[in-house]
Amino acid sequence: MTASTTRRPASANPRTPRSSRTVVVAATAVAGALLLTACGDQTQSGASGGGTKAAAPSAPLADRLPQDIRDKGVIKVGSDIAYAPVEFKDENGRVVGIDPDLAEAMGRQLGVTFQFENGTFDTLITGLRADRYDIAMSAMTDTKDRQQGIDSETKKKVGEGVDFVDYFSAGVSLYTKKGDDKGITSWSDLCGRKLVVQRGTVSEDQVKSESKKCTDAKRPAIAIESFDNDQLAQTRLRAGGADAGSSDFPVAAYTVKTSGGGNDFQIVGEQVQAAPYGIAVAKKDSRLRDAIKAAMDAIIANGEYKKILDKWGVAQGAVTEAKINGGS
């Protein structure tokens, strides 16, 4: 999610400068169910529904982890588990998606289980700082503001900041009701319109920036309505309560393909703010950060990474290596 300082997209926020947190990502071959989950719900991912299982005896990178993580055998993952296809619950209540699949593959390298715990996107970095999670993996865009603990809107210091292990590239897209684009073909068409977004995301940052451009040009500002999760924003738009919505491109494309059997929404214009998704790790946990990077590089090298992205139809967002703090 391109998110803000606190991904997708922190200005948790293309989950881009806050969510993702772009590249043109194929939306075909993505299927599944999207269920809204309650904040604070604790869930594990895995084929059996009991967690992301790791083969500890053969884990080649287990010794890279901090000893306390090895002893527990679990990495607690803060995630907004309502952001298909990146992470969401299927019809059986299992956590599925791009991030859980990548975590499971990394778990085999590290000999641990990645346990996904649900939280609202704009609280994930706070939860990381408070040691509720070991990492945050939630389509969160890696930005300098998040790295430095800067609120992307006020530019004030709000915390220590986090480190990121970058593993995917995504941007921000606009979508409208299908067959009713209100003449919106780009961000410059939004002046005087109402747009819905997920709170704390890069989409929210982007629309605030565009609204300022409107007022600077003596045009009406954009009315912005922000929600705790992307599904609530979609529901508002679907009901006619807004003119357009914005999400990271993989999420917007999935929504357009699946909502109402493909009859609810359409993408308009080109995506903007291409930026890396990053796995957030507390500054003090550099050993864990480096172990996560090593595991991501290992699954890129052995082909598991590509298979996972192909499975979800997002291969165009692939990277060739994990990077630390590559966002701008």
Side-chain angles (χ1 to χ4, degrees), residues 41-82:
D41 179 40
Q42 183 169 324
T43 315
Q44 296 177 327
S45 68
S48 65
T52 302
K53 299 301 182 183
S58 60
L61 299 177
D63 61 351
R64 303 286 189 95
L65 286 168
Q67 190 60 49
D68 62 326
I69 297 286
R70 294 183 67 183
D71 290 344
K72 291 185 297 185
V74 171
I75 293 176
K76 292 187 294 183
V77 184
S79 189
D80 175 14
I81 309 173

Side-chain angles (χ1 to χ4, degrees), residues 296-325:
M296 184 64 71
D297 281 334
I299 66 171
I300 290 172
N302 70 16
E304 288 184 275
Y305 174 85
K306 181 180 184 302
K307 289 179 182 178
I308 291 166
L309 298 195
D310 285 344
K311 168 186 172 181
W312 292 103
V314 296
Q316 292 187 48
V319 298
T320 57
E321 64 175 334
K323 294 184 177 178
I324 294 175
N325 295 335

Side-chain angles (χ1 to χ4, degrees), residues 167-239:
Y167 65 100
F168 189 75
S169 181
V172 174
S173 289
L174 289 171
Y175 61 97
T176 66
K177 292 183 71 173
K178 192 165 187 176
D180 186 18
D181 63 17
K182 310 284 188 184
I184 298 169
T185 60
S186 70
W187 286 86
S188 61
D189 297 324
L190 292 174
C191 298
R193 303 287 191 176
K194 185 174 184 179
L195 186 131
V196 291
V197 294
Q198 180 175 355
R199 186 176 293 108
T201 63
V202 165
S203 289
E204 187 180 45
D205 290 344
Q206 174 70 16
V207 70
K208 287 178 179 178
S209 175
E210 291 294 332
S211 186
K212 187 176 185 304
K213 291 179 185 178
C214 294
T215 56
D216 286 348
K218 310 300 183 185
R219 300 178 66 192
I222 303 169
I224 306 166
E225 191 169 2
S226 302
F227 295 86
D228 282 345
N229 61 61
D230 209 55
Q231 286 67 51
L232 292 174
Q234 293 167 21
T235 298
R236 182 71 163 161
L237 178 59
R238 191 183 296 110

Side-chain angles (χ1 to χ4, degrees), residues 53-282:
K53 299 301 182 183
S58 60
L61 299 177
D63 61 351
R64 303 286 189 95
L65 286 168
Q67 190 60 49
D68 62 326
I69 297 286
R70 294 183 67 183
D71 290 344
K72 291 185 297 185
V74 171
I75 293 176
K76 292 187 294 183
V77 184
S79 189
D80 175 14
I81 309 173
Y83 209 62
V86 186
E87 53 266 316
F88 63 105
K89 284 187 177 182
D90 67 11
E91 64 274 12
N92 297 314
R94 299 179 306 174
V95 180
V96 297
I98 300 164
D99 281 354
D101 282 356
L102 291 173
E104 183 171 0
M106 288 192 294
R108 288 191 289 271
Q109 295 291 321
L110 295 168
V112 294
T113 295
F114 282 69
Q115 179 177 296
F116 280 71
E117 301 184 4
N118 194 41
T120 54
F121 187 72
D122 60 353
T123 66
L124 295 181
I125 286 184
T126 303
L128 190 62
R129 294 189 190 115
D131 293 326
R132 287 199 299 271
Y133 318 122
D134 298 310
I135 65 174
M137 188 176 187
S138 192
M140 186 177 290
T141 301
D142 173 6
T143 69
K144 291 296 183 187
D145 283 348
R146 287 187 182 132
Q147 293 170 24
Q148 297 168 5
I150 303 295
D151 183 278
S152 61
E153 184 175 358
T154 66
K155 297 304 178 183
K156 292 182 179 179
K157 185 82 170 176
V158 294
E160 181 185 19
V162 296
D163 286 334
F164 286 98
V165 178
D166 299 338
Y167 65 100
F168 189 75
S169 181
V172 174
S173 289
L174 289 171
Y175 61 97
T176 66
K177 292 183 71 173
K178 192 165 187 176
D180 186 18
D181 63 17
K182 310 284 188 184
I184 298 169
T185 60
S186 70
W187 286 86
S188 61
D189 297 324
L190 292 174
C191 298
R193 303 287 191 176
K194 185 174 184 179
L195 186 131
V196 291
V197 294
Q198 180 175 355
R199 186 176 293 108
T201 63
V202 165
S203 289
E204 187 180 45
D205 290 344
Q206 174 70 16
V207 70
K208 287 178 179 178
S209 175
E210 291 294 332
S211 186
K212 187 176 185 304
K213 291 179 185 178
C214 294
T215 56
D216 286 348
K218 310 300 183 185
R219 300 178 66 192
I222 303 169
I224 306 166
E225 191 169 2
S226 302
F227 295 86
D228 282 345
N229 61 61
D230 209 55
Q231 286 67 51
L232 292 174
Q234 293 167 21
T235 298
R236 182 71 163 161
L237 178 59
R238 191 183 296 110
D243 299 303
S246 178
S247 300
D248 292 3
F249 182 80
V251 177
Y254 182 90
T255 299
V256 166
K257 183 177 178 62
T258 60
S259 182
N263 295 315
D264 286 347
F265 303 117
Q266 64 187 25
I267 288 178
V268 294
E270 300 294 326
Q271 59 180 310
V272 298
Q273 294 273 23
Y277 281 176
I279 300 168
V281 186

